[in-house]
């Protein structure tokens, strides 16, 4: 929790404390907590003041007035099922490969490595997967416990699909955003809030870095060491994540990432309750090797991180622990 609270922000801060969430980035009860809720770090002047953070006008948390369990979470005995969306309306990352043919579950090419990997990882856990890049197939989301935006970017949804996604989230659905999902729907504030109030701004070259575990209690991080190596583009984000539970950061001294307003912390994964639903997010996953059997330091943690985060967003495992 930031120590710089100006007039008008105290109620927001108190609400966030009650929900166990962080404003502007630091997670409560984290690996570097000193009892003051700011992870033991000093708050520099370039960090965000609370009353400058957007709240997107949505209800948050698990109170019955905010959190809806209307059948979009997984129920014991039901088939677990996810919907994977990888449509790109801008530059396409190599791990997505060739654009998919129209329709639901079209044939995958050998270069569609992220789709192939995510499908295989999910099926290993008994999760059925439907995938598409066809707007005509972006419907009936209530058949799924989670919707995964896998590297989808720019104006990836039309008006009808935006409404479908919004209604799904409000009905208690789970959302997972991976890597260039942060480069999508820049002009839709609701989606920006779903991402944790963050959007892709820029990145440096794909390079080695050290991932730091901030939250040791969440199912998507509890198995990790405090630090582990990984290679990525290390996204810089504007706006900076807010009202979220930060799970992982990258050590900027190793990534040489340009802060772009981040201050001393550089989150790469977080979660939140948003407008009745659950949202789990990571900027990681650029390197093709992260999705294949090619050697990449830390890829075993990445895989488990993504799958545990996905299962928590689905309601299969506890979500967003603090």
């Amino acid at each position: 929790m930031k120590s710089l609270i100006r007039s008008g922000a105290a109620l927001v801060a108190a609400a966030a404390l009650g929900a166990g969430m962080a404003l502007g980035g630091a997670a409560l009860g984290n690996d570097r907590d000193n009892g003051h809720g700011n992870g033991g770090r000093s708050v520099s002047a370039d960090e965000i003041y609370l009353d400058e953070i957007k709240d997107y006008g949505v209800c948050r948390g698990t109170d019955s007035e905010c959190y809806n369990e209307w059948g979009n979470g997984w129920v014991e005995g039901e088939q677990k099922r996810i919907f994977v969306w990888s449509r790109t309306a801008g530059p396409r990352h190599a791990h997505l490969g060739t654009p998919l043919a129209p329709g639901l579950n079209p044939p995958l090419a050998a270069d569609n490595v992220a789709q192939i990997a995510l499908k295989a990882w999910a099926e290993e856990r008994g999760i059925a997967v439907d995938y598409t890049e066809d707007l005509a197939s972006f419907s009936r989301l209530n058949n799924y416990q989670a919707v995964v935006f896998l590297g989808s970017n720019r104006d990836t949804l039309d008006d009808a699909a935006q409404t479908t996604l919004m209604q799904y989230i409000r009905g208690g659905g789970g959302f997972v955003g991976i890597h260039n999902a942060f480069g999508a729907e820049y002009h839709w504030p609701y989606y920006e809030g779903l991402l944790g109030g963050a959007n892709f701004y820029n990145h440096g070259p794909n390079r080695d870095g050290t991932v730091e575990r901030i939250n040791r209690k969440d199912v998507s991080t509890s198995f990790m060491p405090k630090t582990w190596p990984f290679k990525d583009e290390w996204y810089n984000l504007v706006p900076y994540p807010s009202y979220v539970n930060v799970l992982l950061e990258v050590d900027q001294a190793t990534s040489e990432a340009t802060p772009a307003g981040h201050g001393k912390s550089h989150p790469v994964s977080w979660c939140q309750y948003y407008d009745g639903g659950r949202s789990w997010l990571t900027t990681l996953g650029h390197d093709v090797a992260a999705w294949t059997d090619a050697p990449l330091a830390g890829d075993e943690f990445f895989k488990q991180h993504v799958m545990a985060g996905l299962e928590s967003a689905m309601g299969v495992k506890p979500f967003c622990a603090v």
Side-chain angles (χ1 to χ4, degrees):
M1 179 65 61
K2 302 298 184 187
S3 60
L4 299 176
I5 301 178
R6 297 194 296 187
S7 176
L11 291 178
V12 173
L17 277 170
M21 297 298 166
L23 296 176
L28 302 181
N30 60 41
D31 281 338
R32 291 175 285 178
D33 185 51
N34 65 354
H36 300 291
N38 64 358
R41 293 170 293 185
S42 61
V43 180
S44 59
D46 62 339
E47 292 191 82
I48 301 170
Y49 287 92
L50 296 183
D51 56 359
E52 294 172 347
I53 297 172
K54 298 178 183 179
D55 68 9
Y56 300 92
V58 303
C59 199
R60 301 171 186 270
T62 56
D63 186 274
S64 60
E65 294 183 358
C66 297
Y67 184 52
N68 301 321
E69 297 184 89
W70 297 341
N72 290 333
W74 178 68
V75 177
E76 185 74 35
E78 289 185 348
Q79 172 64 60
K80 294 174 282 189
R81 187 177 296 275
I82 62 172
F83 180 89
V84 178
W85 180 250
S86 54
R87 179 177 183 265
T88 54
R92 191 171 176 90
H93 278 63
H95 59 250
L96 294 181
T98 307
L100 303 187
L104 191 66
N105 301 329
L108 293 172
D111 63 353
N112 298 132
V113 295
Q115 297 94 324
I116 291 170
L118 187 59
K119 183 174 183 291
W121 297 350
E123 289 173 348
E124 287 172 358
R125 291 161 174 78
I127 302 169
V129 180
D130 286 334
Y131 58 90
T132 189
E133 295 180 2
D134 184 0
L135 280 166
S137 298
F138 197 95
S139 61
R140 307 177 74 88
L141 295 185
N142 288 340
N143 293 330
Y144 306 96
Q145 286 87 48
V147 173
V148 182
F149 273 44
L150 178 61
S152 49
N153 66 9
R154 303 293 174 88
D155 292 328
T156 186
L157 303 177
D158 60 13
D159 288 348
Q162 287 182 349
T163 299
T164 297
L165 180 61
M166 185 168 61
Q167 290 176 334
Y168 172 75
I169 296 300
R170 288 178 172 172
F175 178 86
V176 172
I178 299 175
H179 199 52
N180 207 216
F182 286 87
E185 300 296 324
Y186 283 105
H187 305 295
W188 188 23
Y190 185 89
Y191 181 82
E192 182 176 274
L194 184 61
L195 295 178
N199 266 319
F200 167 76
Y201 179 73
N202 66 9
H203 63 75
N206 190 42
R207 66 178 71 200
D208 294 327
T210 298
V211 177
E212 300 177 322
R213 183 192 65 191
I214 302 302
N215 182 314
R216 63 182 178 272
K217 297 179 180 179
D218 190 73
V219 296
S220 68
T221 57
S222 61
F223 54 88
M224 295 176 178
K226 286 188 175 182
T227 62
W228 48 280
F230 200 58
K231 190 173 186 178
D232 218 291
E233 290 180 319
W234 311 118
Y235 278 5
N236 298 308
L237 304 165
V238 176
Y240 183 88
S242 55
Y243 299 97
V244 302
N245 176 11
V246 173
L247 304 173
L248 300 174
E249 294 181 358
V250 61
D251 180 354
Q252 292 186 162
T254 62
S255 72
E256 300 181 17
T258 302
H262 284 233
K264 294 183 179 180
S265 62
H266 199 123
V268 296
S269 183
W270 54 92
C271 55
Q272 62 167 341
Y273 289 94
Y274 183 83
D275 201 26
R278 302 170 300 277
S279 178
W280 186 92
L281 305 144
T282 183
T283 66
L284 302 179
H286 168 76
D287 204 299
V288 169
W291 302 99
T292 68
D293 292 331
L296 179 68
D299 61 357
E300 70 278 15
F301 297 125
F302 171 72
K303 175 183 176 180
Q304 194 169 349
H305 181 54
V306 168
M307 291 312 302
L310 171 61
E311 289 179 317
S312 72
M314 295 173 66
V316 174
K317 294 183 176 179
F319 180 70
C320 209
V322 294

